[in-house]
Amino acid sequence: MGVQSLAVACGALALCLALTSATNPGFVVRITQAGLDYAHQQGIAILEKQLAQLKLPDISGDSRVLRVGKVHYELSRLRLRDFHLPYSRITPISNEGLQVSISNAFAEVDGDWRVKFLFVSRDRGSFNLKVENVYIKIILGLGSDPSGKPTISTSDCSARISEVQVLFSGKLGWLYNLFHSVIESRLRKILEHKVCDNVVKSVNSELQTYIRTLPVTARIGDKIGIDYSLVAPPRTTAQSLDADLKGEFYSLGHRSTVPFSPLPLAFSSDHERMVYFGASSYFFNTAGIAYHKAGALVFEITEAMIPKDVGFRLDTSVFSAFIPQLEEMYPNMPMKFRLSAPAAPFMTIGPEGISLQPIVDAQAYAILPNSSLAPLFLLSLTGNVSAVINVRSGHIVGSLDVGRIRLSLKDSAVGTFQVRMMQSLMNVLTSSTLLPRLNARLNEGFPLPLLDRIQLSNILVKFHQNFLLLGADVHFQPRA
Ligand SMILES: *[C@@H]1O[C@H](CO)[C@@H](O)[C@H](O)[C@H]1NC(C)=O
Ligand SMILES: *[C@@H]1O[C@H](CO)[C@@H](O)[C@H](O)[C@H]1NC(C)=O
């Protein structure tokens, strides 16, 4: 499309932005060659077991043998003893999928043979077949279904057996030729066909079932969900497999459209770890919106919450040092604060880390003798908050650090006063009550989009413009 027709198609700039940014993921999962190699190892071990259980049909037929004439043969009770896949590798192919190439595989087949010839003569015995130099090439295609779950299928499979050697018990010399010319080739064809059949079946059942364990909706408590559905089919490049996920927090009660779109993630070419997660500022900011929408950004500070060692009572006698009228209006009464965020906090991510300047309303109340609350004053608190991020047990965990809190008076029922004087007090109050509780929650973390039975180790945390990059190695925990 030319520049002009693009402009025409978009019509208005707003629409153009909507069209181009609609598909940006809020969260990207990248599996590097190291990660694919690890997954491949696990997969090959499973395929090896599956192939060793191949069921082979009985084979029978008629053949003309020199000087003997027509011979009827039957092979029965064919059993694969084992199937070894010693050399194989996985390669991502740009825009196509994953190629698995298996070479020099080998197997052994046992069975019984039986022949009838010259109308009445019979002979029988057992045989052992060595199948060598088996080459298998599989192309796995990746996609996504309407629910945003990944799908996988075999888009191509070919198996080639270049050597079959039969050892059999029997005294008849011409039998060797029969085996060599007819039976070996028939068995080879059957095996080549069966191998791919089995691959297709294993991919459709085991592998497909497994990759569908990706939690496209991760729930956090009963209020918040994270939408990890794929926004497009997974992409392969020559170096990696990338999955673009929505990466959006939402309130389970009332999901609403997010008023901004994810920016593109300029993923670096790091490849030391098996897997990388790119969590955009969109991801974190939708968390702020979801928690705000769910009414979860409300917090009360009462006397009981203040640690003993802070040596501070939450009552009007303490605050009347700053507000003279308080002493007269509400002498010696306990107080409480209700903190709430008037708007969702907005985070920015840059190379130096995550930061935010949340605005918090703090309404102070006196608790009257009959337990009802008398509103005293409303403060607006703001400060620079930075976050430390880590990964633990498959969760993004964090802790916040707050710089000096700045206050301003928004409303007062007890006359005007100098809020500046109250600054240290509010700093102590929030840092001894709100922050530890917030950090305890953040320490429980938010689940990463991980397949079943995956454990992460060797964690790396890096900040880039507009996104957080997490790297990890993967360990697959087999079912006990
Ligand atoms: C509590 O006491 C205050 C003042 O003494 C009064 O105005 C208010 O109505 C009382 N509230 C209740 C629920 O009794
Ligand atoms: C937050 O940091 C910025 C830049 O470092 C500074 O200008 C601002 O005053 C700080 N805000 C508060 C409330 O400390």
Side-chain angles (χ1 to χ4, degrees):
M1 209 191 289
V3 173
Q4 257 179 349
S5 51
L6 181 67
V8 171
C10 290
L13 181 63
L15 177 61
C16 203
L17 284 175
L19 286 176
T20 51
S21 58
T23 51
N24 277 336
F27 199 101
V28 175
V29 181
R30 167 167 292 178
I31 303 170
T32 60
Q33 183 67 53
L36 291 173
D37 287 344
Y38 181 77
H40 175 68
Q41 264 177 36
Q42 309 293 323
I44 285 292
I46 294 171
L47 185 62
E48 219 167 36
K49 282 199 197 111
Q50 299 262 330
L51 287 178
Q53 285 162 17
L54 273 186
K55 294 270 173 301
L56 297 173
D58 290 354
I59 300 171
S60 62
D62 296 307
S63 187
R64 294 206 71 82
V65 175
L66 203 64
R67 284 192 293 275
V68 177
K70 193 176 131 186
V71 174
H72 180 76
Y73 61 87
E74 275 176 38
L75 302 184
S76 59
R77 307 207 315 142
L78 274 66
R79 286 178 310 275
L80 258 170
R81 267 225 239 130
D82 41 26
F83 214 118
H84 294 282
L85 309 174
Y87 305 105
S88 64
R89 64 200 182 102
I90 188 164
T91 326
I93 306 215
S94 284
N95 301 320
E96 201 179 327
L98 300 169
Q99 178 177 307
V100 177
S101 332
I102 300 170
S103 57
N104 297 331
F106 57 96
E108 268 187 68
V109 181
D110 288 333
D112 296 338
W113 60 266
R114 182 201 283 262
V115 288
K116 255 197 262 179
F117 54 101
L118 299 173
F119 304 108
V120 290
S121 302
R122 294 161 192 274
D123 204 353
R124 64 196 301 172
S126 60
F127 72 91
N128 170 264
L129 196 72
K130 285 200 191 323
V131 182
E132 283 166 345
N133 293 335
V134 183
Y135 294 85
I136 308 171
K137 194 176 105 176
I138 305 160
I139 307 269
L140 299 172
L142 291 141
S144 61
D145 74 4
S147 74
K149 287 223 182 219
T151 60
I152 192 160
S153 60
T154 315
S155 47
D156 194 23
C157 177
S158 58
R160 196 164 48 80
I161 297 169
S162 57
E163 228 176 295
V164 178
Q165 271 192 339
V166 70
L167 293 170
F168 62 93
S169 64
K171 302 173 287 296
L172 302 165
W174 52 262
L175 261 178
Y176 176 81
N177 292 328
L178 177 67
F179 263 114
H180 195 61
S181 62
V182 184
I183 300 173
E184 281 179 5
S185 73
R186 282 194 69 181
L187 259 173
R188 175 188 307 195
K189 285 228 175 59
I190 288 172
L191 260 173
E192 285 176 347
H193 186 71
K194 283 272 174 187
V195 163
C196 276
D197 259 11
N198 198 272
V199 164
V200 169
K201 232 182 270 166
S202 298
V203 168
N204 282 350
S205 55
E206 318 249 326
L207 194 53
Q208 175 92 297
T209 306
Y210 182 62
I211 72 160
R212 292 181 66 80
T213 62
L214 181 80
V216 294
T217 305
R219 276 167 165 265
I220 305 158
D222 54 359
K223 288 207 177 82
I224 304 292
I226 309 176
D227 184 341
Y228 278 133
S229 58
L230 286 159
V231 295
R235 282 175 291 126
T236 40
T237 67
Q239 289 83 35
S240 64
L241 173 66
D242 289 1
D244 289 349
L245 312 182
K246 187 137 187 91
E248 183 181 302
F249 283 75
Y250 61 98
S251 157
L252 293 171
H254 21 84
R255 186 169 188 169
S256 56
T257 317
V258 178
F260 45 83
S261 302
L263 294 166
L265 268 69
F267 240 83
S268 52
S269 54
D270 296 21
H271 58 266
E272 275 76 43
R273 300 294 198 275
M274 293 180 184
V275 63
Y276 289 91
F277 302 97
S280 67
S281 46
Y282 178 85
F283 177 74
F284 292 100
N285 282 320
T286 58
I289 294 177
Y291 278 89
H292 185 250
K293 273 253 150 58
L297 302 182
V298 176
F299 184 74
E300 291 203 334
I301 302 178
T302 58
E303 167 85 39
M305 288 178 177
I306 301 171
K308 292 276 177 291
D309 58 348
V310 175
F312 169 96
R313 297 225 334 268
L314 190 54
D315 64 28
T316 52
S317 63
V318 170
F319 280 83
S320 56
F322 316 110
I323 315 167
Q325 291 187 52
L326 209 52
E327 183 103 71
E328 285 165 41
M329 294 173 74
Y330 303 103
N332 285 318
M333 287 183 194
M335 283 172 64
K336 83 175 194 180
F337 277 93
R338 185 174 187 273
L339 307 187
S340 61
F346 195 84
M347 285 152 259
T348 48
I349 305 181
E352 64 295 328
I354 291 193
S355 62
L356 59 153
Q357 284 87 35
I359 294 172
V360 175
D361 282 347
Q363 174 68 54
Y365 297 97
I367 305 174
L368 304 183
N370 64 5
S371 300
S372 63
L373 298 175
L376 302 178
F377 53 89
L378 175 63
L379 299 173
S380 177
L381 317 183
T382 186
N384 286 325
V385 177
S386 59
V388 176
I389 301 279
N390 205 348
V391 172
R392 208 187 49 240
S393 307
H395 286 62
I396 302 182
V397 297
S399 73
L400 299 180
D401 195 22
V402 184
R404 193 167 168 71
I405 291 171
R406 200 169 328 157
L407 310 182
S408 59
L409 187 61
K410 277 179 103 172
D411 195 14
S412 173
V414 290
T416 54
F417 54 92
Q418 287 286 316
V419 283
R420 217 165 41 80
M421 316 280 283
M422 220 185 272
Q423 186 121 359
S424 310
L425 191 64
M426 291 308 290
N427 258 314
V428 172
L429 201 58
T430 48
S431 61
S432 65
T433 57
L434 175 61
L435 204 59
R437 283 172 174 79
L438 215 53
N439 281 337
R441 172 61 198 89
L442 290 174
N443 195 42
E444 286 168 28
F446 307 101
L448 285 165
L450 296 178
L451 298 178
D452 235 12
R453 291 178 278 142
I454 289 292
Q455 288 177 345
L456 302 177
S457 61
N458 217 2
I459 304 295
L460 168 137
V461 179
K462 263 192 198 174
F463 291 98
H464 293 276
Q465 199 59 45
N466 289 320
F467 73 100
L468 162 71
L469 182 72
L470 302 171
D473 284 335
V474 161
H475 179 73
F476 177 73
Q477 192 79 53
R479 229 187 281 276

